[in-house]
Every structure is written in C-alpha cells, then in structure tokens.
Amino acid sequence: MDKRNLAFGRKNFILLAVGMIVVIIGFILMSGAGSDATEFNTDIFSAMRIKVAPVVCFIGFASMICAIMYRTKDDDQLPAKQDPSSKDIVK
C-alpha cells in the first residue's frame, strides 16, 4: 500500500498509541477487588478509583482526539520550489 493513501501519518499513529496506553492505565487504576455478599470492601470508594482514574482516562481520550486532529505537513501541501534556470522567457 502506498503511504500517500493512508489517512494518518506516522506521528498520528504514535500519538494514538500513547493515548490508548494512557486510557488502559486509567482503567487499570479503576480495577481492584470489589465487595462480596458476605463482606463490604470500602476500597471501592478510594480517591484513586473515583477521582484519579477517571481523570487519567479522560486525558487519554482527549489526547487521542488531538492525535486524530493533528495535521502533519506533507511535501504535497508545501509550495513547489522553482528552478531559476527553467524560467520561460517570452520575447
């Protein structure tokens, strides 16, 4: 497949991967032992689970949106340089 047919550049894919890793870290921070029918675990109300982890996930999702919106400068979009010796002179 030709690189020009891809929707995103290499930098976009790297930024998307970093954002996905941050989201996964946020979900890992939210996980843990839950309550049981016989005992109640108060750890489900810890600040890490209800405050820090959702913020980490939100930052990951926001960075993924930024990675999608990020526009790389391609050579096709830049103005072409003209060779000074190739000027057409009409007399």
Side-chain angles (χ1 to χ4, degrees), residues 34-76:
S35 293
D36 199 353
T38 58
E39 68 178 82
F40 181 73
N41 188 358
T42 59
D43 193 36
I44 62 172
F45 298 113
S46 69
M48 182 181 68
R49 283 190 178 179
I50 62 173
K51 294 179 183 175
V52 176
V55 170
V56 170
C57 287
F58 178 76
I59 290 170
F61 285 124
S63 67
M64 289 174 65
I65 291 171
C66 291
I68 292 170
M69 301 293 284
Y70 182 76
R71 177 175 241 162
T72 57
K73 293 183 180 178
D74 294 336
D75 292 334
D76 297 335

